[in-house]
Amino acid sequence: MSRANAIADVCIVGSGAGGGVMAAELARAGIGVVLLERGPERASEDFLHRQDELTNVLRQDFFAPGYRETLRASEREQAVPGRYSMLAQTLGGSTVHWGAWSWRFRADEMRMLSRDGPVAGANLADWPIGYAELEPFYAQAEQALGIAGRAGSNPFETPRTGAYPNPPHVYRPSSRLLEAGATKLGLHPFPLPMAINSRVFDGRAKCMNGGQCAGFGCPVNAKASPLAIHIPAARATGKAEIITGARALEISVDSEGRARGVHYRAADGATREVRARHVIVCAGSIGSATLLLGSRSARFPNGLANGSDQVGRNLMCHIFSLVNFEMREPSLGQLGPPGNVGVDDFHPSDARRGFVGGAVLGEAIDPLPIVSALKSKDYLRGQRAWGEPLSRYLERYPHYCGMIAIGEDLPVASNRVDLDPDHRDAEGVALPRITHTNHPNDVALARYMEARMSEIATAGGALKTFATDYVGARTATGHIMGTCRMGSDPRNSVLDRWCRSHEVANLWVVDGSFFPTSGGYNPTLTIFANAYRVAAHFIAEARRLNLG
Amino acid sequence: MERREFLHLFGAALGAALLARPLAAAAAASTQQALVLNASECALLEAICARILPPVGGVSTREAGCVNFIDKLLAHEERALAPAYRAGLAALDALARGFAALEAAQQVHLLEQLEDGTLQPWPEAAGTQATLFGLLRMHTLLGFLAAPSFGGNRDGAGWKAVGHVGHLHGAGGVSDEQVAGKSV
């Protein structure tokens, strides 16, 4: 495939939840795949010995060392370089270090404009696909990932047939506190569905219950990821060539305006081109948008497939609130997977609350001591956060736990990713520039959820609750969505219902970029399910030789 | 020059251009010898760290090696900080006329003023007082709790002090019953 003049069936850029599925499914169907992954191949050896909290969590320096973005609140400001998103550059993508909370979006979340809108200052849209169409692919993804949960235990989850493939994870003392508090308030707590093996499954180990999980690669592959599942499956077909250390620089186009291939910088420093009949971009909301924007030509002066000027726009990252609590007995939050109890009662949208959309609430453990130590300022509010009070706070570390709200944030057209005109990386490529300000609806939603979580923890018997302010976190999240909006109108969307670009018939974007709205759940299972759906369509169309 | 040629020239310089990896700090941490700080700076920092974080579970910042952590940090990942940091330490010590020898209450008072930005005079080369205080506090915590490979948290003493179990994956993990708190 990489011989000069060879033309691959498909070139896939990025090996995460979208790219990993596309590579495995297409290769399984006999389609020839060349997969370019910017990062190296990291695996068990790295995850067992080389990770630590300072590197992985505080510096975000394990999975994308040296990676930088720039950030500003509005177009009137200069963007400041720093490390903001939690994206990874590694074989398997950012999913390698996810927290693995796995949800099917509710049917009404894909109809947000019809349900709640329009909202002034926001760019709401309905999804051009519905839950019924995604349902079998959610089931396929859940089975492939080995989701651990109890079907029907969440009365607010979207109705489903079929059980989860694995039983739920155990509750620790802090889970039982939250469960008791929620029950006392008339709410409906349930075990969080997680893509982490609660028993040996599909040839992968059971979770070892070491709390070092979210933000880290799993040394035993108990946590599902494309690295653990889809990359091996793709390799086993013999039809996938996987090139790591390969940074896509530009998608080239031919004289007819079709994608011709992908120029990339290889691990040895040389620049090469993969020519392909179809290019499938799966570099995440930031990577995919910046790749398209950087692929300019006479026909596409504003970036590839960007006649709508929508590429990079409608960037969403969810909004979070976090309430920590101290309990009488040890929480055991240092043990087990990152969970384990959830409350979804506040998810359904109800404008009478003063905002639209909702959030799922879930137990948020503090499995590692530095992040917990940094919350001392929230615990010690009203006094200096050092000296004896700080030492006493640290001594209570085993008694802390938390609850987090995954809040829906509204798409705003001016929240966007583009190429920074002033800052470049070590290779001379423009840094991704993030322009982002939360809509007032987001902030109202987050504050409401913060109050609800405090009530739950207090009702459960917490000695003290203390909130950590995440409203200002912006894109410092692992949930980056939007930037290549899926829609039926090419004037205000980038992709059609199959994640195929409106303007370039052989260019597809299959990752979280397609989300028209962000929903009140972690996005990754929906990214997986959509990728299975698009892969099935791609394969069916290929067999009918109907690919334009 | 065409952009792709420009990038080709830079390809070989990739490795050198990446920021210092944690392994650099880890290699350095294997020595307790100070790489950046002189003896009086070390003594000053020991006193500052001890005041910011008095003994936790009986473990002092001196036992945990916080100052060694800071020294290695200033030698590698945060070397750009070192000049302002050291200018600030010098200014604080000068205002104290020997910080390490002061009574605890006097040390606390000076650190409060540093946190509030009210120490005078304060040299421009030392940057903002509140920023320096914030860094000292952060570095004390990191020196106490970051992985021992960075030069602090000596032999996991900081982790033991706060009751952190450490990295369990290499130690066999724990059972579901242990997570549930239902077994010893």
Side-chain angles (χ1 to χ4, degrees):
Chain A
M1 295 295 173
S2 53
R3 294 186 307 278
N5 300 320
I7 301 180
D9 289 335
V10 160
C11 179
I12 300 175
V13 179
S15 62
V21 168
M22 294 303 285
E25 295 298 290
L26 268 51
R28 261 209 275 259
I31 295 170
V33 168
V34 176
L35 172 59
L36 300 176
E37 167 52 51
R38 179 168 172 173
E41 178 165 0
R42 298 182 176 90
S44 295
E45 169 69 20
D46 303 287
F47 303 149
L48 192 56
H49 296 300
R50 302 206 180 96
Q51 302 183 108
D52 71 87
E53 189 185 9
L54 179 53
T55 306
N56 284 53
V57 180
L58 273 80
R59 292 187 175 140
Q60 295 284 307
D61 229 19
F62 184 82
F63 284 107
Y67 170 74
R68 291 294 177 272
E69 298 146 337
T70 66
L71 175 68
R72 60 183 183 176
S74 76
E75 281 166 19
R76 292 182 300 281
E77 298 169 29
Q78 281 283 103
V80 176
R83 181 64 208 267
Y84 301 107
S85 78
M86 291 183 187
L87 72 78
Q89 289 155 6
T90 199
L91 188 63
S94 306
T95 311
V96 171
H97 69 55
W98 67 325
W101 291 11
S102 299
W103 320 87
R104 303 184 180 197
F105 268 25
R106 295 162 49 102
D108 67 340
E109 289 187 292
M110 302 180 209
R111 293 276 172 273
M112 200 185 185
L113 177 62
S114 301
R115 184 192 72 191
D116 295 324
V119 174
N123 194 14
L124 297 189
D126 287 343
W127 295 33
I129 57 175
Y131 175 75
E133 180 175 345
L134 270 173
E135 200 274 342
F137 302 103
Y138 272 124
Q140 183 178 11
E142 287 173 353
Q143 186 65 35
L145 302 177
I147 308 296
R150 182 175 300 126
S153 60
N154 173 12
F156 302 92
E157 72 186 6
T158 202
R160 57 182 294 134
T161 53
Y164 285 107
N166 282 314
H169 288 272
V170 297
Y171 280 5
R172 59 175 74 77
S174 45
S175 327
R176 294 197 292 272
L177 181 151
L178 292 172
E179 179 188 45
T183 303
K184 194 163 163 191
L185 294 173
L187 307 172
H188 303 80
F190 58 92
L192 279 168
M194 287 187 267
I196 296 174
N197 279 354
S198 53
R199 59 184 175 187
V200 174
F201 176 83
D202 195 31
R204 293 183 293 111
K206 177 197 177 299
C207 176
M208 294 175 76
N209 290 326
Q212 183 172 291
C213 182
F216 297 83
C218 177
V220 300
N221 285 336
K223 179 161 73 178
S225 75
L227 178 66
I229 298 165
H230 302 87
I231 298 301
R235 282 178 164 151
T237 66
K239 294 288 288 181
E241 181 182 1
I242 297 172
I243 308 176
T244 57
R247 180 186 185 173
L249 299 169
E250 188 171 339
I251 299 166
S252 48
V253 293
D254 64 21
S255 52
E256 266 115 70
R258 291 174 58 90
R260 194 183 75 206
V262 181
H263 287 275
Y264 70 99
R265 190 266 302 131
D268 62 3
T271 305
R272 305 201 172 96
E273 184 188 21
V274 174
R275 299 192 56 196
R277 294 188 179 83
H278 287 267
V279 173
I280 306 178
V281 184
C282 310
S285 295
I286 294 175
S288 294
T290 52
L291 181 59
L292 262 53
L293 291 173
S295 301
R296 283 178 215 183
S297 57
R299 194 187 286 259
F300 299 103
N302 207 25
L304 188 59
N306 192 27
S308 62
D309 188 40
Q310 294 301 294
V311 173
R313 290 190 183 276
N314 308 301
L315 169 71
M316 294 164 288
C317 43
H318 279 150
I319 190 158
F320 301 88
S321 41
L322 178 65
V323 169
N324 312 288
F325 59 93
E326 179 185 2
M327 49 190 285
R328 193 163 285 113
E329 49 173 347
S331 66
L332 301 190
Q334 297 179 60
L335 308 178
N340 292 350
V341 66
V343 173
D344 216 10
D345 293 69
F346 303 110
H347 199 143
S349 186
D350 181 353
R352 292 168 300 178
R353 302 187 294 191
F355 55 88
V356 299
V360 68
L361 313 179
E363 182 179 358
I365 55 175
D366 263 336
L368 297 165
I370 301 175
V371 169
S372 180
L374 295 177
K375 294 176 179 176
S376 50
K377 284 195 170 168
D378 302 311
Y379 186 94
L380 297 171
R381 208 160 274 147
Q383 56 185 303
R384 293 187 191 267
W386 52 280
E388 295 290 345
L390 178 60
S391 304
R392 301 293 80 74
Y393 169 83
L394 291 190
E395 285 164 356
R396 293 285 291 171
Y397 166 60
H399 295 260
Y400 302 134
C401 194
M403 206 172 194
I404 193 166
I406 313 296
E408 177 154 24
D409 62 330
L410 301 187
V412 174
S414 56
N415 285 344
R416 64 191 299 198
V417 173
D418 65 358
L419 299 171
D420 196 292
D422 301 314
H423 298 279
R424 295 181 175 275
D425 65 21
E427 297 185 76
V429 178
L431 294 187
R433 177 172 62 178
I434 300 163
T435 306
H436 185 274
T437 295
N438 278 111
H439 190 284
N441 191 87
D442 306 342
V443 180
L445 187 156
R447 295 290 178 226
Y448 177 90
M449 298 302 165
E450 190 180 292
R452 304 289 79 74
M453 291 188 290
S454 290
E455 287 163 359
I456 291 169
T458 302
L463 296 173
K464 183 180 167 107
T465 65
F466 50 110
T468 296
D469 193 348
Y470 270 107
V471 168
R474 295 203 184 132
T475 51
T477 86
H479 304 177
I480 315 281
M481 299 159 282
T483 76
C484 291
R485 175 174 271 194
M486 177 194 278
S488 40
D489 186 347
R491 289 169 302 178
N492 57 31
S493 62
V494 179
L495 307 173
D496 71 10
R497 71 188 322 283
W498 300 114
C499 285
R500 188 178 188 174
S501 74
H502 289 300
E503 290 177 68
V504 181
N506 62 342
L507 176 72
W508 311 66
V509 182
V510 185
D511 52 27
S513 310
F514 81 86
F515 284 43
T517 57
S518 67
Y521 285 131
N522 313 62
T524 304
L525 188 70
T526 300
I527 296 173
F528 275 113
N530 178 69
Y532 278 112
R533 182 186 69 97
V534 171
H537 171 77
F538 193 99
I539 291 162
E541 293 298 292
R543 285 185 176 138
R544 282 187 231 133
L545 299 169
N546 197 25
L547 282 164
Chain B
M1 176 189 299
E2 231 238 326
R3 192 179 62 150
R4 281 187 283 283
E5 292 166 36
F6 173 83
L7 292 166
H8 178 73
L9 286 177
F10 273 74
L14 263 182
L18 290 173
L19 292 182
R21 298 297 305 278
L23 292 173
S30 64
T31 172
Q32 298 292 303
Q33 297 270 53
L35 298 177
V36 170
L37 300 168
N38 62 41
S40 93
E41 285 168 324
C42 286
L44 169 61
L45 266 174
E46 288 288 5
I48 292 172
C49 292
R51 208 47 61 209
I52 287 175
L53 190 65
V56 179
V59 177
S60 68
T61 50
R62 177 183 292 273
E63 287 169 271
C66 289
V67 173
N68 186 48
F69 170 87
I70 295 173
D71 176 69
K72 303 303 177 282
L73 194 68
L74 294 175
H76 288 272
E77 285 92 339
E78 303 284 19
R79 58 186 170 277
L81 271 185
Y85 204 89
R86 299 173 82 182
L89 289 175
L92 176 67
D93 211 22
L95 283 162
R97 286 176 236 234
F99 183 95
L102 292 179
E103 297 282 323
Q106 294 168 302
Q107 291 181 342
V108 167
H109 183 57
L110 279 165
L111 288 174
E112 287 176 351
Q113 290 177 276
L114 181 69
E115 185 177 24
D116 296 340
T118 55
L119 287 171
Q120 283 185 34
W122 190 257
E124 215 177 296
T128 326
Q129 291 180 47
T131 300
L132 175 62
F133 181 83
L135 286 171
L136 288 165
R137 181 181 179 277
M138 172 69 105
H139 293 168
T140 302
L141 286 171
L142 293 179
F144 203 77
L145 296 171
S149 58
F150 292 98
N153 186 16
R154 191 175 293 136
D155 299 322
W159 286 346
K160 289 192 195 79
V162 304
H164 175 55
V165 298
H167 187 190
L168 291 173
H169 289 116
V174 300
S175 67
D176 290 352
E177 288 70 34
Q178 284 173 285
V179 176
K182 286 173 177 161
S183 86
V184 179

